[in-house]
Amino acid sequence: MSSLTWKKRLIDQSDLMELGEKIRAKGQKIVFTAGSWDLVHPGQCRYLERAKALGDILVVGVVADRAISKVKGPNKPILSEKIRAEVLTFLRSVDFVTIVPEPSCQPSLGLLKPDTYVTVKEDWTSDYKNTKEYRTVTSYGGEVIVVDRQSSKISTSSILARAIGGQLSDTLKDYMQYRKEPLKE
């Protein structure tokens, strides 16, 4: 895949409405999911395969760097949003990727109007039906599917902990608090 090819699969937020209309005009079902996608691992790949199986076209939101830092702290994400987005375009289950500017993907859902919105159970409270994402999707007749994590033992945090190791992790902890920006290409 050339660099031009993957960039064609990266959709601006402002083009989500038009993308949704084109896909629906072909009679295809749209599935949307969003997340950080930092250090993509097998659990995330399984999750994306499962989401793709629910429709014809899978659009994946990559939460922007600033939005992740707001929620997870200054040491996250590890990779920049553009790198995370590019990595996803190389997965066979992913048809399109968009960078979601806010911690909530509700504006993206309102623009794209996917038939199905898939999210991970642990990310939602037991009161998820009162969230703005749920209300947005169901307001136009879409469906929200909440699934279990596809790998309970693998996460970006566990990968980092293992890679760094116990003692080195303690040594680098002080350094990491001063790193403000994710690594860039």
Side-chain angles (χ1 to χ4, degrees), residues 39-111:
L39 302 182
V40 174
H41 55 75
Q44 292 171 326
C45 293
R46 290 178 201 136
Y47 172 81
L48 291 169
E49 286 284 328
R50 185 168 177 188
K52 171 70 176 193
L54 297 170
D56 302 303
I57 301 294
L58 177 60
V59 181
V60 179
V62 172
V63 181
D65 296 343
R66 280 192 334 215
I68 290 174
S69 292
K70 234 188 262 186
V71 174
K72 295 186 177 188
N75 294 330
K76 297 271 179 109
I78 290 148
L79 300 173
S80 75
E81 60 199 40
K82 288 188 174 134
I83 292 172
R84 293 180 284 124
E86 181 178 354
V87 167
L88 290 174
T89 66
F90 290 100
L91 298 178
R92 70 175 177 222
S93 57
V94 177
D95 296 294
F96 296 99
V97 175
T98 189
I99 296 175
V100 177
E102 301 297 324
S104 168
C105 64
Q106 186 268 336
S108 303
L109 292 167
L111 291 168

Side-chain angles (χ1 to χ4, degrees), residues 139-156:
S139 72
Y140 60 78
E143 175 183 29
V144 175
I145 297 180
V146 182
V147 300
D148 290 324
R149 288 201 176 276
Q150 299 301 295
S151 175
S152 59
K153 304 233 187 271
I154 302 172
S155 68
T156 298

Side-chain angles (χ1 to χ4, degrees), residues 28-44:
Q28 294 176 310
K29 187 174 177 183
I30 305 168
V31 179
F32 181 84
T33 192
S36 300
W37 314 108
D38 215 359
L39 302 182
V40 174
H41 55 75
Q44 292 171 326

Side-chain angles (χ1 to χ4, degrees), residues 94-172:
V94 177
D95 296 294
F96 296 99
V97 175
T98 189
I99 296 175
V100 177
E102 301 297 324
S104 168
C105 64
Q106 186 268 336
S108 303
L109 292 167
L111 291 168
L112 183 63
K113 291 187 171 51
D115 299 280
T116 305
Y117 170 51
V118 182
T119 191
V120 177
K121 189 179 287 182
E122 292 175 3
D123 291 342
W124 290 59
T125 66
S126 58
D127 195 27
Y128 76 91
K129 289 186 177 181
N130 288 319
T131 63
K132 56 188 171 182
E133 293 86 358
Y134 183 88
R135 287 193 308 268
T136 297
V137 173
T138 57
S139 72
Y140 60 78
E143 175 183 29
V144 175
I145 297 180
V146 182
V147 300
D148 290 324
R149 288 201 176 276
Q150 299 301 295
S151 175
S152 59
K153 304 233 187 271
I154 302 172
S155 68
T156 298
S157 297
S158 68
I159 292 168
L160 287 173
R162 180 159 179 141
I164 294 172
Q167 189 172 11
L168 186 54
S169 175
D170 289 342
T171 303
L172 290 177

